[in-house]
Amino acid sequence: MKPPATPDILSTRKQTIARHFATASDYDQHAHIQAQICQHLLALIARTKQDSVFEIGAGTGQMTRLLAENVQSQHWFINELCSERAAMLQSIVPTANIIIGDAETIELSKGSNSINPSLIEHSLIVSANAVQWFDNPLSFIKQSAQRLRAGGQLVFNTFTPDNFLQIKQLTGQGLHYPAISEWQSALEVAGFENIKLLTQRFDVPFANPYAVLKHMKLTGVSTNQAQSSSGQPFRWTKSRLKQFEQDYWQQFSELNKDGQPHVNLTYDVLMISAFKA
């Protein structure tokens, strides 16, 4: 077992994200869509035997477990923002180098007891449900191209601008999601080939708008307030919450097969596979 690399100091925004996910103790019980995404990403991996696998933003280990069960590799590198996850991730892949810190600045991470992943050319880079939290998501493409060996594969997901469209429309809050065309262009510029961009939409039903907000909090997503359109922190008040509930019912309610009303929350997923030329 290798001690995790010493993390760099996180930005205020990344500290907030880390804190939200560190306290989302029931994440796996509620992150059903994220689990399905991991299965889809696994299916995109071309080879089950690898030389070096680098996973970015491992979180609670949903993708890590699938990789450990289905992929063989000589070397494993697992990055995660939250230090609280280190021991759990190490238990999934005991031989892995665990790198705690901000994936966007991981090339600055130094650990005397761990190999710097930026010095290794990996045969597979994987990231599930993490890249959307980057300050500059598109930068992940260039970073990955620098870390992959020729012929190496990049497999990850993010979300389209239609993700959580109900929340964005009613509150003006949400992460910035680059358009699919921007991802395509970034991949081509970085020298990737055999590019696949696949979208899948999930409309998840909830009994009421409050249940939507609870679901988002339990899966760590409430930090989307960190990028408000006005630049000011978003705060819930009683009147704002009441208006949100009324508007959600009015604009997004549907009847299920039993004739009972419910509301949906839309996940619009973009899954990407590409190979370094």
Side-chain angles (χ1 to χ4, degrees), residues 2 6 16 44 52-53 59 62-63 92 94 105 117 142 161 166 176-177 207 237 255 259:
K2 302 174 178 62
T6 303
T16 302
L44 290 173
S52 180
V53 174
Q62 282 186 328
M63 191 73 211
I92 299 173
T105 58
K142 184 177 179 180
Q166 297 89 348
H176 169 69
Y177 303 106
T237 62
L255 297 179

Side-chain angles (χ1 to χ4, degrees), residues 13-25 27 82 85 133 216-225:
R13 177 174 177 269
K14 295 295 177 68
Q15 288 178 27
T16 302
I17 294 170
R19 186 166 58 251
H20 275 264
F21 280 102
T23 56
S25 57
Y27 178 90
C82 304
R85 307 291 189 199
W133 296 106
M216 295 179 71
K217 182 177 181 180
L218 289 169
T219 53
V221 184
S222 57
T223 43
N224 62 6
Q225 70 184 36

